[in-house]
Amino acid sequence: MFARSTWGELPPDKVGDLVVALRPSIDAIAQCAGYQGAAVLANRESGAAVVITYWESAETMQASEEVASGTRAAVTSRLPSLKITEIDRLEVVVQERSAPPQANTVVRTTDIRVPPDKLDQLVAFVRDRSLPVGRAQAGFRAGLVSINRATGRAVLATIWDSAAALEAADVVLAPVREQARAAIPGQSVNVAIYEVVLAEIKLPAAA
């Protein structure tokens, strides 16, 4: 699966208007071949937001670029206070869910930059060391790792039932993150906390 992630910021008092402004654009881009869903994350204190659309392949994501550009323009016309700060295209290489996607949950994102040749090592560490610890904590819903192989970027997201569950788990997970920093040098790390304000993601059918 692939993801187009759009980072933005808006006044905190406008966060409540974000999903309303996005709704027509999400409905439009959902008509593109290969569309697998969307998620909207927001921080109601800072006004930071992330809009993610998911695609079944790099090819279908690329084919939707023109529509995506038009939908972004439409959103900013409906919500002029929204400033788009960055867009990236990522491959979702790890997706582990203990519960289905759901709004009103909490996400901790860790945006990591490493040398591109260290990406596989980082992904393996998260998959084999970090996620098993996270999965064992109360309130864990999902863990995802998305990467850009060209730039060495990895975005790690853990989803939790509540802010309290995230905070409790963080005590246990902090030492694991320190192990990762020691094992994989050259990391640049940015951490953010968001609320899931919209989650409409198609999941694979159960076997």
Side-chain angles (χ1 to χ4, degrees):
M1 187 163 70
F2 288 76
R4 183 189 297 110
S5 296
T6 302
W7 284 263
E9 53 191 36
L10 69 165
D13 64 352
K14 296 295 185 181
V15 167
D17 299 331
L18 182 58
V19 171
V20 174
L22 283 166
R23 184 78 264 170
S25 293
I26 291 174
D27 292 345
I29 204 164
Q31 304 306 309
C32 293
Y35 176 82
Q36 295 294 298
V40 181
L41 318 178
N43 185 305
R44 295 183 186 274
E45 294 183 1
S46 69
V50 190
V51 180
I52 309 160
T53 55
Y54 293 100
W55 303 89
E56 67 182 14
S57 67
E59 291 76 17
T60 56
M61 181 171 65
Q62 176 61 36
S64 72
E65 289 290 349
E66 184 175 350
V67 174
S69 178
T71 59
R72 284 193 297 271
V75 171
T76 53
S77 70
R78 288 189 290 268
L79 189 60
S81 58
L82 173 63
K83 178 184 176 183
I84 294 175
T85 57
E86 185 183 8
I87 303 168
D88 204 354
R89 288 86 180 164
L90 305 163
E91 179 185 358
V92 183
V93 292
V94 175
Q95 182 179 189
E96 181 170 325
R97 296 187 182 275
S98 298
Q102 180 178 301
N104 302 315
T105 52
V106 177
V107 179
R108 183 188 199 275
T109 66
T110 306
D111 196 335
I112 303 176
R113 312 295 178 104
V114 298
D117 63 356
K118 299 292 185 183
L119 267 180
D120 287 339
Q121 182 182 355
L122 174 63
V123 171
F125 188 97
V126 173
R127 183 189 61 234
D128 301 336
R129 301 282 297 279
S130 298
L131 273 180
V133 175
R135 187 173 58 242
Q137 307 310 306
F140 176 86
R141 298 185 67 88
L144 297 90
V145 183
S146 305
I147 63 172
N148 184 321
R149 292 189 181 276
T151 64
R153 182 183 203 171
V155 180
L156 286 52
T158 53
I159 298 93
W160 303 86
D161 283 337
S162 64
L166 184 154
E167 291 171 8
D170 206 44
V171 175
V172 179
L173 287 166
V176 182
R177 288 195 293 271
E178 289 303 318
Q179 292 171 17
R181 289 191 181 99
I184 307 166
Q187 295 187 32
S188 169
V189 179
N190 181 49
V191 176
I193 307 296
Y194 298 98
E195 175 189 344
V196 180
V197 295
L198 180 142
E200 298 175 353
I201 302 168
K202 301 176 184 179
L203 297 180

